[in-house]
Amino acid sequence: MSDIYTPPPRTAYYLAQAFYMPSDKGDHWAIAFSGKSAVLVASALSVIVTLCFAFFWKIICFYALLFTGTGSRRRYVAMVTLWNSGDALPALLRLLQYTFKCYPHKVKSPQETKDAAESKKERDGLWSDFVYGLSLCLICFAVWGGSVAMSTVTSWLVSIGSVAPVNPDVLFYPQVPGQAPVLQLKDFGLRAPGIMRSLGSVEAAKVTLRSRVNITRVPLGAVLNPNTNATDFLEELYYDYNLTGVELGLRSGNDLGLGVKGYCRTEYDWYRPNESTSDSERYHLWNNKDQPWSMVLSEAAIARAPTAAFQLPSTYLDPQQGGPPKDSNFSYAVIVSSVHRTSITEGSDPWYNTELRGNLNISRPYNAKFWMRRARPILSCWEQMRWSYKGVNVSSIQELRNQPDWDMPDVLLRVLEATFFAGPMIFRLGNASGDSALRSRTTSPNGVIDASISSIESDMERLVLASFVASRNIFVDATMFGGSDQNYPNVFRAGNGQAEPGSGHFVVSSPDIQTFSLTGIVTLAAILVFLVALEMLLMLLIRLHRGNIGDNKWWSRFHVLDAVQLFRCLYEDKPYGKAYNGWNCDWPVPKTVIEDENGKTRPIGPDLCTLTRCHRHNYCLGHIEVDRRLVEAEKSETVNREMLRSNQRSLM
């Protein structure tokens, strides 16, 4: 469906609506958006993935802090780095340095340490910290790499096509016409645009389509044509292709199949030289004198490029003679009017076998000196359409209704019946395309062709490929008639004027549609909700245990190793003194106004900290220190309070 030449109109399908998208592996729960909206959806999915990995990282940090190992300062360096990293990439960069520094070194002599046993203990601790750091580095890299990769490819993984559910209100498909000529002419006119779109698709995407259709030419050798006393060639042509209900766009269509096989051969015996004249040629199709065919050779006719006509046996039109075949095995004839059409080059193909032009006094474009010989063969063909459902072959479309577990809406089956009622698709396509049926005609601007590159094979290849496209786009064409009001009986319209039940059980494709797996989107959202809930639960547990963590308890590390808490420790009297200027350990930020022992509030003193260079090591970039003025102010405040208390005691 991707190479259709003209996309359906915007009113033909629904967007932002859940539906089931057909596929070879069963229907997928999906949702479709326009091209612009799809960009926003893809961006939102990338954000969801990024948030998932962010919360996943916080959960990993929580569980990593459970393993304190020896409880050494080295181990706590890694734990502080991890807990305050915020993201996997910063943690990875810092932990790589930590892991490198913790790589165990070999002690050369006992004099390098005060105690050899202590040295061994230190090396064991280094090994433990090295393995801890290396493990965290691998986890960090996996989380960071997964986040970058998944946020990039998630939208591609969730994107599953370019189809959308059809809007049943705009569908139109002509019913099988009656015997009235006006109805047949109307039906022909309604279907012709779809045929031309199929031919356009062949020209636009021939390479893609050619892999889906098998066409084999079998030359049978040269023969002497008694009607022209010249050498001609016998040929056979085999073709076949297969379609599934999924390719037709049908929901639950993976059980439906269509196999088409065809065969053609050149027929020289149908020519009737005794009934032909200098101005016309006469044939009896299938050697049936009751089905004659004439070609006019007037100057006006031969000035045109070759044309083609398609005919069915006359017995198909007479119910008393059997009518159309019940097994969908149709015979048809391809009649090409190429006699005396001019060419700039010589050709030897049965349809385009040339000779020197008889009357050179009549000018032709490009001064063409050749024209096609008389008594060109007609192509006698048959085509077998074999339908199947769940692997069971049936001889006709009508028999599909009798299959067990048949669940396709009846209106869609009637569309197929209305399509193939008059014969194979190639027959309808060949007649509807008119002068455009032959490739040789499409390359001729003024009636003159190049016979050296024209052939039965190239002409039939184009028609067979177009038949494949037209068969595949049957239901898409139902959106292309310009609305349901065509003043003609509509298969999709019920007696009450509403769409028949099941009319919308297929999808259409367009380059402006982007289809996403709704299962994938819901799964991503569910993962995000789960990770957020788990993170909130862990944070709630940490908060609930703040009041009873005690010394060196299990829950204390999640509070103690927080960067703000470590920074606040600069303002504590060591080892367990009170906080400077009112920054208590249960406050996330210092207060600007504090309450003294008498219940009175006052502003704090200088609230500054300084960044100073290191005077001991040249490679150190500096330290953070408590501002001296803040320390002196705190000491002065303490002295004043003590003097006040002393004076009060002396007065008593």
Side-chain angles (χ1 to χ4, degrees):
M1 297 174 64
S2 60
D3 51 33
I4 184 171
Y5 195 67
T6 305
R10 173 60 190 87
T11 56
Y13 51 86
Y14 293 124
L15 294 176
Q17 177 175 307
F19 70 102
Y20 286 96
M21 172 184 166
S23 76
D24 294 334
K25 298 180 180 180
D27 292 355
H28 295 297
W29 194 31
I31 189 169
F33 297 94
S34 65
K36 293 182 179 179
S37 299
V39 175
L40 300 178
V41 174
S43 301
L45 293 176
S46 297
V47 171
I48 290 176
V49 171
T50 302
L51 290 175
C52 285
F53 275 94
F55 284 108
F56 182 54
W57 173 247
K58 292 298 295 181
I59 295 171
I60 289 176
C61 292
F62 177 88
Y63 285 103
L65 261 62
L66 301 180
F67 303 95
T68 58
T70 60
S72 65
R73 288 179 297 174
R74 289 187 301 273
R75 177 59 61 90
Y76 274 94
V77 167
M79 295 169 67
V80 168
T81 300
L82 198 65
W83 189 243
N84 295 284
S85 60
D87 188 67
L89 181 59
L92 173 63
L93 299 177
R94 297 299 300 272
L95 286 172
L96 285 173
Q97 181 183 11
Y98 167 84
T99 304
F100 177 77
K101 294 294 184 182
C102 288
Y103 185 77
H105 60 278
K106 183 178 180 181
V107 178
K108 297 181 180 180
S109 64
Q111 288 75 19
E112 292 186 8
T113 181
K114 295 180 180 179
D115 188 355
E118 191 68 27
S119 175
K120 181 178 182 304
K121 181 179 179 180
E122 179 183 352
R123 291 199 305 273
D124 292 342
L126 281 171
W127 271 114
S128 174
D129 296 332
F130 172 78
V131 173
Y132 182 78
L134 182 61
S135 301
L136 290 179
C137 285
L138 295 176
I139 294 174
C140 290
F141 180 79
V143 174
W144 170 72
S147 175
V148 173
M150 291 304 297
S151 61
T152 303
V153 304
T154 294
S155 59
W156 175 74
L157 293 174
V158 179
S159 177
I160 56 176
S162 57
V163 300
V166 72
N167 177 9
D169 295 331
V170 303
L171 296 179
F172 176 86
Y173 205 82
Q175 291 184 3
V176 177
Q179 296 298 321
V182 64
L183 293 178
Q184 295 187 8
L185 186 62
K186 180 73 172 179
D187 177 81
F188 181 87
L190 288 171
R191 298 177 190 270
I195 298 300
M196 302 308 295
R197 284 192 296 269
S198 300
L199 289 170
S201 293
V202 172
E203 302 298 336
K206 178 182 176 180
V207 175
T208 304
L209 295 171
R210 191 62 181 84
S211 62
R212 297 296 314 279
V213 179
N214 298 316
I215 303 175
T216 305
R217 170 182 170 269
V218 180
L220 300 179
V223 295
L224 179 65
N225 191 335
N227 301 309
T228 60
N229 292 321
T231 301
D232 266 310
F233 296 90
L234 299 175
E235 287 189 5
E236 290 181 339
L237 197 72
Y238 297 85
Y239 65 88
D240 66 86
Y241 57 84
N242 294 283
L243 285 168
T244 66
V246 173
E247 292 176 294
L248 296 177
L250 300 175
R251 285 165 47 181
S252 302
N254 54 317
D255 294 325
L256 181 66
L258 169 62
V260 174
K261 289 185 178 181
Y263 165 81
C264 297
R265 70 174 183 272
T266 52
E267 284 286 357
Y268 292 91
D269 294 340
W270 294 359
Y271 181 72
R272 293 295 180 264
N274 296 333
E275 300 180 24
S276 301
T277 66
S278 60
D279 296 327
S280 68
E281 291 196 322
R282 188 81 163 179
Y283 294 83
H284 288 173
L285 304 184
W286 291 279
N287 287 321
N288 181 3
K289 64 179 181 179
D290 294 328
Q291 195 169 355
W293 185 268
S294 297
M295 298 181 189
V296 178
L297 303 181
S298 65
E299 287 296 329
I302 65 176
R304 301 170 56 196
T307 59
F310 288 69
Q311 290 290 307
L312 296 174
S314 58
T315 55
Y316 289 178
L317 304 178
D318 187 356
Q320 295 182 354
Q321 299 186 48
K326 304 299 182 182
D327 59 354
S328 300
N329 191 344
F330 287 83
S331 296
Y332 66 94
V334 185
I335 309 160
V336 171
S337 298
S338 61
V339 174
H340 286 181
R341 268 60 170 184
T342 51
S343 170
I344 58 175
T345 58
E346 291 185 89
S348 59
D349 184 83
W351 278 351
Y352 303 100
N353 196 346
T354 60
E355 62 183 359
L356 286 174
R357 191 157 57 88
N359 190 353
L360 295 178
N361 295 325
I362 300 177
S363 64
R364 287 287 185 266
Y366 309 124
N367 295 321
K369 297 181 180 180
F370 304 95
W371 64 11
M372 263 59 76
R373 297 179 185 271
R374 297 194 61 168
R376 293 302 86 215
I378 291 177
L379 210 57
S380 175
C381 306
W382 60 259
E383 182 177 292
Q384 172 77 58
M385 291 183 291
R386 184 71 69 183
W387 293 89
S388 65
Y389 183 71
K390 293 185 177 180
V392 178
N393 293 326
V394 297
S395 59
S396 65
I397 300 176
Q398 292 78 10
E399 289 189 17
L400 289 172
R401 288 191 178 90
N402 303 325
Q403 297 306 301
D405 303 325
W406 174 256
D407 57 357
M408 180 186 293
D410 189 68
V411 62
L412 302 184
L413 190 59
R414 283 190 277 120
V415 170
L416 296 177
E417 292 174 342
T419 302
F420 297 105
F421 79 95
M425 179 62 74
I426 193 171
F427 167 77
R428 180 190 296 276
L429 184 143
N431 282 331
S433 56
D435 290 348
S436 300
L438 301 178
R439 182 177 295 278
S440 59
R441 171 63 180 85
T442 62
T443 60
S444 172
N446 50 20
V448 178
I449 68 168
D450 185 351
S452 65
I453 61 172
S454 302
S455 66
I456 292 176
E457 183 180 12
S458 63
D459 289 335
M460 289 300 294
E461 179 187 56
R462 180 168 178 264
L463 291 170
V464 172
L465 291 177
S467 300
F468 170 81
V469 174
S471 299
R472 188 176 59 180
N473 292 335
I474 290 172
F475 293 100
V476 177
D477 283 342
T479 67
M480 302 280 195
F481 287 99
S484 59
D485 186 15
Q486 290 287 342
N487 193 27
Y488 192 89
N490 184 2
V491 176
F492 286 103
R493 196 62 55 200
N496 59 3
Q498 302 299 315
E500 288 274 9
S503 295
H505 282 223
F506 66 93
V507 298
V508 294
S509 175
S510 172
D512 192 47
I513 299 174
Q514 190 69 42
T515 311
F516 294 92
S517 170
L518 200 52
T519 302
I521 293 176
V522 172
T523 300
L524 283 176
I527 292 174
L528 177 60
V529 171
F530 171 76
L531 293 174
V532 171
L534 183 56
E535 170 68 10
M536 292 178 64
L537 176 62
L538 295 177
M539 294 300 103
L540 178 62
L541 292 174
I542 294 174
R543 185 171 184 83
L544 292 176
H545 286 82
R546 277 193 173 187
N548 56 356
I549 57 178
D551 291 337
N552 218 11
K553 294 295 183 180
W554 192 81
W555 293 97
S556 63
R557 67 198 72 179
F558 303 108
H559 176 66
V560 171
L561 300 183
D562 188 76
V564 175
Q565 178 68 4
L566 295 174
F567 176 56
R568 195 200 63 79
C569 291
L570 291 172
Y571 295 85
E572 287 183 347
D573 285 334
K574 304 299 184 290
Y576 298 107
K578 59 183 179 57
Y580 285 120
N581 257 352
W583 190 1
N584 294 330
C585 59
D586 59 343
W587 294 346
V589 295
K591 292 187 177 182
T592 58
V593 177
I594 61 174
E595 186 176 323
D596 60 18
E597 296 176 353
N598 298 323
K600 296 181 179 180
T601 59
R602 61 178 179 82
I604 65 172
D607 189 16
L608 303 173
C609 63
T610 59
L611 302 177
T612 62
R613 62 172 296 184
C614 181
H615 299 284
R616 296 183 180 181
H617 306 285
N618 293 331
Y619 57 82
C620 180
L621 297 179
H623 303 271
I624 184 170
E625 295 183 356
V626 179
D627 191 272
R628 295 291 180 183
R629 291 174 294 175
L630 182 59
V631 176
E632 295 300 330
E634 183 67 20
K635 290 182 178 179
S636 176
E637 182 69 24
T638 303
V639 171
N640 291 337
R641 286 198 299 269
E642 291 298 329
M643 291 179 61
L644 180 60
R645 292 194 188 95
S646 178
N647 291 335
Q648 289 176 348
R649 285 195 298 269
S650 63
L651 291 176
M652 294 175 60

